[in-house]
Amino acid sequence: MRTFFVLLRRELGALFLSPIAGTALALFLLLMGASFTLLLYLLAQGVEATDGGTVMSHLLGSFFTWLALLIVVPAATMRAFAEERRSGTFETLMTAPVRDGAVVLAKYAAALVFYVALWLPTLIYPVALHALRPMGAPADLGALAAGYLGVLLIGAMALAAGLLISALSRSQAIAALGTFVAVCVFFLAGFIPYWPLGLALTGAAHYASVVTHLLDFARGIVDTRAIAFYLINTAWLLWATTIAVESRQWK
């Protein structure tokens, strides 16, 4: 356990002190701030009355969240293993008295902490909305918590996929591009349930649709099947990353 925290501190320092972190933070907050302002304007024009959604449910369940993932996930994972190989520190790291699984988990935990840290400033949005809310109008904290849970689960799976791609890459640019494509695939595949499929295929597609899941979470609907879907996928992606690291270690 002590070795894991030493590795985690190393990864956090390398990630948060890199120029990529500052750039990703600036782009992320600019995008989310602009999105929040736009949604405030649109919902003030009566959009909220048509579907009963709130500003935060629209924000967390919107295309803007996917744009944020396209920025944050590649930035958080592109250097994980690709940079180690480029700088020549991969062999040194892997010959140290640490397990491959501990290295993978430390890199993943650092990326997840970075991801959560970027989302934390957005909590000021519901605070500001609550301050401007008419007296006596209750805030739906349950739906808000569910929305952030969905963002966390989807981000966790995407980060695991990005880590796997970085483990298979020797270039940060290739790792970033591959992760960008993976997030795009997650998003586009989420629309498969809306294709003219058979009843059985449509049901399976709905179960695996990240777009549907995000919309449900944003509305305050928490399905344990969706939670299990992300936890299982995250786990096997991390397992696959460990296998990839072990196999490339001997090449």
Side-chain angles (χ1 to χ4, degrees), residues 115-142:
Y115 177 78
V116 172
L118 290 191
W119 277 98
L120 283 178
T122 65
L123 291 175
I124 196 174
Y125 301 156
V127 173
L129 288 173
H130 180 72
L132 298 173
R133 188 182 298 271
M135 295 297 294
D140 193 349
L141 297 180

Side-chain angles (χ1 to χ4, degrees), residues 157-158 160-161 164 186 232-242:
M157 185 180 72
L164 174 59
F186 288 159
I232 292 172
N233 279 302
T234 299
W236 82 257
L237 284 168
L238 291 177
W239 172 80
T241 302
T242 304

Side-chain angles (χ1 to χ4, degrees), residues 54 56-57 60 123 126 130 133 138-151 213-223 227:
T54 65
M56 290 306 298
S57 68
L60 296 177
L123 291 175
H130 180 72
R133 188 182 298 271
D140 193 349
L141 297 180
L144 181 64
Y148 275 102
L149 175 62
V151 168
H213 294 164
L214 185 59
L215 291 174
D216 286 343
F217 278 117
R219 298 186 186 107
I221 303 171
V222 179
D223 190 339
I227 295 176

Side-chain angles (χ1 to χ4, degrees), residues 2 9 27-28 49 55 58 63 99 114 123 135 140 142 153 169 175-176 180 198 219 224 232 234 239 248:
R2 179 181 178 183
R9 184 172 60 181
L27 290 175
F28 176 81
V55 175
H58 280 282
F63 178 66
R99 295 181 179 272
F114 177 75
L123 291 175
M135 295 297 294
D140 193 349
L153 290 172
S169 307
F180 181 91
R219 298 186 186 107
T224 54
I232 292 172
T234 299
W239 172 80
R248 293 179 72 92

Side-chain angles (χ1 to χ4, degrees), residues 51-173:
D51 61 6
T54 65
V55 175
M56 290 306 298
S57 68
H58 280 282
L59 180 63
L60 296 177
S62 70
F63 178 66
F64 300 123
T65 296
W66 286 100
L67 289 179
L69 288 173
L70 288 172
I71 295 172
V72 175
V73 175
T77 60
M78 59 186 284
R79 62 163 301 281
F81 289 102
E83 175 62 15
E84 297 276 9
R85 291 195 176 87
R86 188 198 65 80
S87 62
T89 59
F90 178 76
E91 290 75 12
T92 303
L93 176 63
M94 301 314 296
T95 54
V98 295
R99 295 181 179 272
D100 296 339
V103 174
V104 171
L105 288 179
K107 289 181 177 294
Y108 177 73
L112 189 60
V113 169
F114 177 75
Y115 177 78
V116 172
L118 290 191
W119 277 98
L120 283 178
T122 65
L123 291 175
I124 196 174
Y125 301 156
V127 173
L129 288 173
H130 180 72
L132 298 173
R133 188 182 298 271
M135 295 297 294
D140 193 349
L141 297 180
L144 181 64
Y148 275 102
L149 175 62
V151 168
L152 176 62
L153 290 172
I154 294 174
M157 185 180 72
L159 288 170
L163 202 67
L164 174 59
I165 293 170
S166 181
L168 297 173
S169 307
R170 289 187 175 273
S171 165
Q172 287 193 63

Side-chain angles (χ1 to χ4, degrees), residues 16-50:
F16 278 92
L17 295 179
S18 67
I20 296 175
T23 304
L25 174 63
L27 290 175
F28 176 81
L29 292 180
L30 179 63
L31 172 64
M32 299 307 292
S35 306
F36 180 70
T37 303
L38 175 62
L39 288 172
L40 277 178
Y41 172 77
L42 292 177
L43 295 176
Q45 303 304 310
V47 178
E48 182 174 5
T50 63

